Amino acid sequence: QVQLVESGGGLVQAGDSLGLACVASGRNSEIGRMGWFRQAPMKEREFLASITWSDGRTNYGSSAAGRFTISSDGAKNTVYLQMNTLKREDTAVYYCAADRNSVGPWNYWGKGTHVRVSS
């Protein structure tokens, strides 16, 4: 079992940057890939970015490409999401997720951290 805890959410102004972090604990050897999702009010959950634990390969959803950057620190069992040029449309609950050996599905989920962007 893997536990994921997100942090870094908060209230920011449009145009600002914000960094999120997700710490994995438990059976971290089971993790193949970690990723970030978000869900805005009245919207479906949206994939933002993922990173493969072993080789650092990244993948981005269309809404994140160009403004968001995912990275990881294996020594800290942590994945990050750096968000730049935030827009009000980025307001959402941001979730960290992980899968087993990069084969899916997304097996583990954090409880989310709220990001609110004012305009």
Side-chain angles (χ1 to χ4, degrees), residues 48-100:
L48 296 174
S50 67
I51 185 165
T52 303
W53 205 248
S54 60
D55 60 14
R57 289 182 298 170
T58 58
N59 182 251
Y60 291 93
S62 60
S63 63
R67 292 192 298 125
F68 295 180
T69 302
I70 190 170
S71 62
S72 64
D73 186 337
K76 297 181 179 179
N77 298 318
T78 301
V79 65
Y80 304 91
L81 184 69
Q82 179 65 42
M83 304 184 291
N84 298 323
T85 318
L86 285 164
K87 302 174 172 60
R88 64 180 181 180
E89 293 81 13
D90 296 317
T91 296
V93 178
Y94 284 70
Y95 296 94
C96 178
D99 72 359
R100 302 189 185 106

Coordinates of all heavy atoms in Angstrom, one line a residue, residues 48-100:
L48 N -3.0 16.1 -15.7 CA -2.1 17.2 -16.0 C -0.7 16.7 -16.4 O -0.2 17.2 -17.4 CB -2.0 18.0 -14.7 CG -3.2 18.7 -14.2 CD1 -3.0 19.4 -12.9 CD2 -3.7 19.7 -15.2
A49 N -0.1 15.8 -15.6 CA 1.2 15.4 -15.9 C 1.6 14.1 -15.2 O 1.0 13.8 -14.2 CB 2.2 16.5 -15.5
S50 N 2.5 13.4 -15.7 CA 3.0 12.2 -15.0 C 4.5 12.1 -15.2 O 5.1 12.7 -16.1 CB 2.3 11.0 -15.6 OG 2.7 10.7 -16.9
I51 N 5.1 11.3 -14.3 CA 6.6 11.1 -14.4 C 6.8 9.7 -14.0 O 6.3 9.2 -13.0 CB 7.3 12.1 -13.5 CG1 8.9 11.9 -13.7 CG2 7.0 12.0 -12.1 CD1 9.7 13.1 -13.2
T52 N 7.6 9.0 -14.8 CA 8.0 7.6 -14.5 C 9.1 7.6 -13.4 O 10.1 8.3 -13.6 CB 8.5 6.9 -15.7 OG1 7.4 6.9 -16.7 CG2 8.8 5.4 -15.4
W53 N 8.9 6.8 -12.4 CA 9.8 6.9 -11.3 C 11.2 6.5 -11.6 O 12.2 7.0 -11.1 CB 9.3 6.0 -10.1 CG 9.8 6.4 -8.8 CD1 10.6 5.7 -8.0 CD2 9.4 7.6 -8.1 NE1 10.8 6.4 -6.8 CE2 10.1 7.6 -6.8 CE3 8.6 8.8 -8.4 CZ2 10.0 8.6 -5.9 CZ3 8.5 9.8 -7.4 CH2 9.2 9.7 -6.2
S54 N 11.4 5.4 -12.4 CA 12.7 4.9 -12.7 C 13.5 5.7 -13.6 O 14.8 5.8 -13.4 CB 12.5 3.5 -13.3 OG 11.8 3.5 -14.5
D55 N 13.0 6.3 -14.7 CA 13.8 7.0 -15.6 C 13.5 8.5 -15.8 O 14.1 9.1 -16.6 CB 13.8 6.3 -17.0 CG 12.4 6.2 -17.6 OD1 11.5 6.9 -17.1 OD2 12.2 5.4 -18.5
G56 N 12.5 8.9 -15.1 CA 12.1 10.3 -15.2 C 11.4 10.8 -16.4 O 11.3 12.0 -16.6
R57 N 10.9 9.9 -17.2 CA 10.2 10.3 -18.4 C 8.9 11.0 -18.0 O 8.2 10.6 -17.1 CB 9.8 9.1 -19.3 CG 11.0 8.5 -20.0 CD 10.6 7.3 -20.8 NE 10.0 6.2 -20.0 CZ 9.4 5.2 -20.5 NH1 9.2 5.1 -21.9 NH2 8.9 4.3 -19.7
T58 N 8.6 12.0 -18.7 CA 7.4 12.8 -18.3 C 6.4 12.8 -19.5 O 6.7 12.6 -20.6 CB 7.8 14.3 -18.0 OG1 8.5 14.9 -19.2 CG2 8.7 14.3 -16.8
N59 N 5.2 13.1 -19.1 CA 4.1 13.2 -20.0 C 3.1 14.3 -19.5 O 2.9 14.4 -18.3 CB 3.3 11.9 -20.2 CG 2.2 11.9 -21.2 OD1 1.0 11.9 -20.8 ND2 2.6 12.0 -22.4
Y60 N 2.6 15.1 -20.4 CA 1.8 16.2 -20.0 C 0.5 16.2 -20.8 O 0.4 15.8 -21.9 CB 2.5 17.5 -20.3 CG 3.7 17.8 -19.5 CD1 5.0 17.5 -19.9 CD2 3.5 18.4 -18.2 CE1 6.0 17.7 -19.1 CE2 4.6 18.7 -17.4 CZ 5.9 18.3 -17.8 OH 7.0 18.6 -17.0
G61 N -0.6 16.6 -20.0 CA -1.8 16.8 -20.7 C -1.8 18.1 -21.4 O -1.0 19.0 -21.1
S62 N -2.7 18.3 -22.3 CA -2.7 19.5 -23.1 C -2.9 20.8 -22.3 O -2.4 21.8 -22.7 CB -3.8 19.4 -24.2 OG -5.1 19.2 -23.6
S63 N -3.7 20.7 -21.3 CA -3.9 21.9 -20.5 C -2.7 22.3 -19.6 O -2.6 23.4 -19.2 CB -5.1 21.7 -19.6 OG -4.9 20.6 -18.6
A64 N -1.8 21.4 -19.4 CA -0.6 21.7 -18.6 C 0.6 22.0 -19.4 O 1.5 22.7 -18.9 CB -0.3 20.5 -17.7
A65 N 0.7 21.5 -20.6 CA 1.9 21.7 -21.4 C 2.2 23.2 -21.6 O 1.4 24.0 -21.9 CB 1.7 21.0 -22.8
G66 N 3.5 23.5 -21.3 CA 3.9 24.9 -21.5 C 3.9 25.7 -20.3 O 4.7 26.7 -20.2
R67 N 3.1 25.4 -19.3 CA 3.0 26.2 -18.1 C 3.3 25.4 -16.9 O 3.8 26.0 -15.9 CB 1.6 26.8 -17.9 CG 1.2 27.9 -19.0 CD 0.0 28.6 -18.5 NE -1.2 27.7 -18.5 CZ -1.9 27.5 -17.4 NH1 -1.7 28.2 -16.3 NH2 -3.0 26.7 -17.5
F68 N 3.1 24.1 -16.9 CA 3.3 23.3 -15.7 C 4.5 22.4 -16.0 O 4.7 21.9 -17.1 CB 2.1 22.4 -15.4 CG 0.8 23.2 -15.0 CD1 -0.3 22.5 -14.7 CD2 0.8 24.6 -14.9 CE1 -1.5 23.2 -14.3 CE2 -0.3 25.3 -14.5 CZ -1.5 24.6 -14.3
T69 N 5.2 22.1 -14.9 CA 6.4 21.2 -15.0 C 6.3 20.2 -13.9 O 6.2 20.6 -12.7 CB 7.7 22.0 -15.0 OG1 7.7 22.9 -16.1 CG2 8.9 21.0 -15.1
I70 N 6.4 18.9 -14.2 CA 6.5 17.9 -13.2 C 7.9 17.5 -13.0 O 8.7 17.4 -14.0 CB 5.6 16.7 -13.6 CG1 5.4 15.7 -12.4 CG2 6.1 16.0 -14.8 CD1 4.4 14.7 -12.6
S71 N 8.3 17.2 -11.8 CA 9.6 16.7 -11.5 C 9.5 15.8 -10.2 O 8.5 15.7 -9.6 CB 10.6 17.8 -11.2 OG 10.2 18.6 -10.1
S72 N 10.6 15.1 -10.0 CA 10.6 14.2 -8.8 C 11.9 14.2 -8.1 O 13.0 14.5 -8.7 CB 10.2 12.7 -9.3 OG 11.2 12.2 -10.1
D73 N 11.9 13.8 -6.9 CA 13.1 13.6 -6.1 C 13.0 12.2 -5.4 O 12.3 12.1 -4.4 CB 13.2 14.7 -5.1 CG 14.5 14.7 -4.3 OD1 15.2 13.6 -4.2 OD2 14.9 15.7 -3.8
G74 N 13.7 11.3 -6.0 CA 13.6 9.9 -5.5 C 14.1 9.8 -4.0 O 13.5 9.0 -3.3
A75 N 15.1 10.5 -3.7 CA 15.6 10.5 -2.3 C 14.6 10.9 -1.3 O 14.6 10.5 -0.1 CB 16.9 11.3 -2.2
K76 N 13.7 11.8 -1.7 CA 12.7 12.3 -0.8 C 11.3 11.7 -1.1 O 10.3 12.1 -0.4 CB 12.5 13.8 -1.0 CG 13.8 14.6 -0.6 CD 13.6 16.1 -0.7 CE 14.8 16.9 -0.3 NZ 14.6 18.3 -0.5
N77 N 11.2 10.8 -2.0 CA 10.0 10.1 -2.4 C 8.9 11.2 -2.7 O 7.7 11.0 -2.2 CB 9.5 9.2 -1.3 CG 10.5 8.1 -1.0 OD1 11.0 7.5 -1.9 ND2 10.7 7.7 0.3
T78 N 9.3 12.2 -3.4 CA 8.4 13.3 -3.6 C 8.3 13.6 -5.1 O 9.3 13.6 -5.8 CB 8.9 14.5 -2.9 OG1 9.0 14.2 -1.5 CG2 8.0 15.7 -3.1
V79 N 7.1 14.0 -5.5 CA 6.9 14.5 -6.9 C 6.4 15.9 -6.8 O 5.7 16.2 -5.8 CB 5.9 13.6 -7.7 CG1 4.6 13.6 -7.1 CG2 5.9 14.0 -9.1
Y80 N 6.8 16.8 -7.7 CA 6.4 18.2 -7.7 C 5.7 18.6 -8.9 O 5.8 18.0 -10.0 CB 7.7 19.0 -7.5 CG 8.6 18.7 -6.4 CD1 9.6 17.8 -6.5 CD2 8.4 19.3 -5.1 CE1 10.4 17.5 -5.4 CE2 9.2 19.0 -4.1 CZ 10.2 18.1 -4.2 OH 11.0 17.8 -3.2
L81 N 4.9 19.6 -8.8 CA 4.3 20.2 -9.9 C 4.5 21.7 -9.8 O 4.0 22.4 -8.9 CB 2.8 19.9 -10.0 CG 2.1 20.5 -11.2 CD1 2.6 19.7 -12.5 CD2 0.6 20.3 -11.1
Q82 N 5.3 22.3 -10.7 CA 5.5 23.7 -10.7 C 4.5 24.3 -11.7 O 4.5 23.9 -12.9 CB 7.0 24.0 -11.1 CG 7.3 25.5 -11.2 CD 7.1 26.2 -9.9 OE1 7.6 25.7 -8.9 NE2 6.6 27.4 -9.9
M83 N 3.7 25.2 -11.3 CA 2.7 25.9 -12.1 C 3.0 27.3 -12.3 O 3.2 28.1 -11.3 CB 1.3 25.7 -11.5 CG 1.0 24.2 -11.2 SD -0.7 24.0 -10.6 CE -0.5 24.8 -8.9
N84 N 3.1 27.8 -13.5 CA 3.5 29.1 -13.8 C 2.3 29.8 -14.6 O 1.5 29.1 -15.2 CB 4.7 29.2 -14.6 CG 6.0 28.7 -13.9 OD1 6.1 28.8 -12.7 ND2 6.8 28.0 -14.7
T85 N 2.3 31.1 -14.5 CA 1.3 31.9 -15.2 C -0.1 31.4 -15.0 O -0.8 31.1 -15.9 CB 1.6 31.9 -16.7 OG1 3.0 32.1 -17.0 CG2 0.9 33.1 -17.4
L86 N -0.4 31.3 -13.7 CA -1.7 30.7 -13.3 C -2.8 31.6 -13.8 O -2.7 32.8 -13.8 CB -1.7 30.5 -11.8 CG -0.9 29.3 -11.3 CD1 -0.7 29.4 -9.8 CD2 -1.6 28.0 -11.7
K87 N -3.9 30.9 -14.2 CA -5.1 31.6 -14.6 C -6.2 31.2 -13.7 O -6.2 30.2 -13.0 CB -5.4 31.2 -16.1 CG -4.3 31.6 -17.1 CD -4.6 31.1 -18.4 CE -3.6 31.6 -19.5 NZ -2.2 31.2 -19.2
R88 N -7.3 31.9 -13.8 CA -8.4 31.6 -12.9 C -9.0 30.2 -13.3 O -9.6 29.6 -12.4 CB -9.5 32.7 -13.0 CG -10.2 32.8 -14.4 CD -11.2 33.9 -14.4 NE -11.9 34.0 -15.7 CZ -12.8 34.9 -15.9 NH1 -13.3 35.7 -15.0 NH2 -13.3 35.0 -17.2
E89 N -8.8 29.8 -14.5 CA -9.3 28.5 -14.9 C -8.5 27.4 -14.3 O -8.9 26.2 -14.4 CB -9.2 28.4 -16.5 CG -10.2 29.3 -17.2 CD -9.7 30.7 -17.4 OE1 -8.5 30.9 -17.1 OE2 -10.5 31.6 -17.7
D90 N -7.4 27.7 -13.7 CA -6.6 26.7 -13.0 C -7.1 26.4 -11.6 O -6.6 25.5 -10.9 CB -5.2 27.1 -12.9 CG -4.5 27.2 -14.2 OD1 -4.7 26.3 -15.1 OD2 -3.7 28.2 -14.4
T91 N -8.1 27.1 -11.1 CA -8.7 26.9 -9.8 C -9.3 25.5 -9.8 O -10.2 25.1 -10.6 CB -9.8 27.9 -9.5 OG1 -9.2 29.2 -9.4 CG2 -10.5 27.6 -8.2
A92 N -8.8 24.7 -8.8 CA -9.3 23.3 -8.8 C -8.7 22.6 -7.5 O -7.8 23.2 -6.9 CB -8.9 22.5 -10.0
V93 N -9.1 21.5 -7.2 CA -8.5 20.6 -6.3 C -7.4 19.8 -7.1 O -7.8 19.1 -8.0 CB -9.4 19.7 -5.5 CG1 -8.7 18.8 -4.6 CG2 -10.4 20.5 -4.7
Y94 N -6.2 19.8 -6.6 CA -5.1 19.1 -7.3 C -4.8 17.8 -6.6 O -4.5 17.8 -5.4 CB -3.9 20.0 -7.5 CG -4.1 21.1 -8.5 CD1 -5.0 22.1 -8.3 CD2 -3.4 21.0 -9.7 CE1 -5.2 23.1 -9.3 CE2 -3.5 21.9 -10.7 CZ -4.4 23.0 -10.5 OH -4.6 23.9 -11.5
Y95 N -4.8 16.7 -7.3 CA -4.6 15.4 -6.7 C -3.3 14.8 -7.2 O -3.0 14.9 -8.4 CB -5.7 14.5 -7.1 CG -7.1 14.9 -6.5 CD1 -8.0 15.6 -7.3 CD2 -7.5 14.5 -5.2 CE1 -9.2 16.0 -6.8 CE2 -8.7 14.9 -4.7 CZ -9.6 15.6 -5.5 OH -10.8 16.0 -5.0
C96 N -2.6 14.1 -6.3 CA -1.5 13.3 -6.7 C -1.9 11.9 -6.8 O -2.8 11.4 -6.0 CB -0.4 13.5 -5.6 SG 1.1 12.5 -5.8
A97 N -1.3 11.2 -7.7 CA -1.7 9.8 -8.0 C -0.4 9.0 -8.3 O 0.6 9.5 -8.7 CB -2.7 9.7 -9.1
A98 N -0.6 7.7 -8.2 CA 0.5 6.8 -8.5 C 0.0 5.5 -9.0 O -1.1 5.1 -8.6 CB 1.4 6.5 -7.3
D99 N 0.7 4.8 -9.9 CA 0.4 3.5 -10.4 C 1.5 2.5 -10.1 O 2.5 2.9 -9.6 CB 0.0 3.5 -11.8 CG 1.1 3.7 -12.8 OD1 2.3 3.9 -12.3 OD2 0.9 3.7 -14.0
R100 N 1.2 1.3 -10.4 CA 2.2 0.2 -10.2 C 3.0 -0.1 -11.5 O 2.4 -0.5 -12.4 CB 1.5 -1.0 -9.7 CG 0.7 -0.8 -8.4 CD 0.3 -2.2 -7.8 NE -0.6 -2.0 -6.7 CZ -1.9 -2.2 -6.7 NH1 -2.5 -2.6 -7.8 NH2 -2.6 -2.1 -5.6

